[in-house]
Amino acid sequence: MVAKQAAAAAQGAAQAAEQTGAKTVVAKKTAGRTTAARKRAAASAPPKAGVAAPVAPGELPVRPGEDPWTPEEVAEARAGLQSEDARLEAEIASAETALAGLMRDSGDGAGDDQADTGTKNITRESELALAANAREMLEQTERALERLDAGTYGLCENCGNPIGKARMQAFPRATLCVECKQKQERRY
């Protein structure tokens, strides 16, 4: 099945290259394969040192002094992440469509002056950057949903301490507690 999909993708890429006059064809990762590969890698990866054992879903970790997660808050977090997931997938599809059009039109520069060519290049680079950012956010969102399902949502991936309910509600894709995030940012 995967071989047939790969062959169909290669044939489609060859046809697109022929239509656009491209000399090089670059394979595109699809969201489905990326997610499946990531899930396989996460399942086979050894646990990080210092990370606490997963807790049962519905009993998500909180910092001292915080109220525990209620089922409604967990459902709200899940719904927000799922809605963000759908929005990002639509944004990526739209960006890929726009990029296909920009790539197709890139060869039609006969008669364009330098400003027109530069504008096309800047537009194309901007679309590429937006698509890459959306893909990264989609990966973070999917990872947060996986952590929510596993019961590790709200645990710092670095030190294993609770991230904090308030931080998770403000930034649902957070994977580090405030202290670890500050340490990470100081290194860069």
Side-chain angles (χ1 to χ4, degrees):
M1 172 99 177
V2 173
K4 287 182 182 178
Q5 290 175 339
Q11 183 180 12
Q15 289 174 345
E18 187 177 315
Q19 290 174 350
T20 60
K23 304 269 190 278
T24 306
V25 178
V26 179
K28 177 180 92 171
K29 291 182 182 176
T30 63
R33 279 189 250 161
T34 306
T35 302
R38 190 171 52 255
K39 285 180 182 176
R40 282 192 304 274
S44 64
K48 265 191 160 181
V51 175
V55 296
E59 296 178 10
L60 298 174
V62 293
R63 288 188 155 219
E66 289 183 327
D67 293 330
W69 287 87
T70 65
E72 294 81 19
E73 290 170 333
V74 173
E76 184 180 324
R78 182 181 307 281
L81 287 166
Q82 289 171 335
S83 135
E84 182 73 359
D85 188 78
R87 183 192 69 78
L88 289 167
E89 285 179 354
E91 185 177 321
I92 290 169
S94 172
E96 287 177 349
T97 302
L99 280 169
L102 289 170
M103 295 303 230
R104 185 177 45 252
D105 295 341
S106 66
D108 297 341
D112 284 352
D113 62 10
Q114 290 178 345
D116 291 337
T117 303
T119 300
K120 286 180 183 179
N121 287 339
I122 289 170
T123 303
R124 186 171 47 248
E125 291 299 319
S126 174
E127 284 294 327
L128 284 168
L130 289 172
N133 185 46
R135 281 188 191 97
E136 184 177 333
M137 288 175 57
L138 177 63
E139 185 176 316
Q140 291 172 355
T141 302
E142 288 173 346
R143 193 159 144 213
L145 283 166
E146 290 168 3
R147 291 174 50 137
L148 193 58
D149 291 338
T152 58
Y153 186 75
L155 283 177
C156 178
E157 289 185 344
N158 190 38
C159 68
N161 292 328
I163 293 173
K165 183 177 166 183
R167 177 166 164 75
M168 295 306 297
Q169 288 174 325
F171 185 64
R173 295 186 306 264
T175 58
L176 299 175
C177 64
V178 172
E179 294 82 11
C180 290
K181 186 64 175 173
Q182 288 173 341
K183 287 177 189 174
Q184 180 189 49
E185 288 176 352
R186 276 188 232 128
R187 282 183 259 170
Y188 295 109

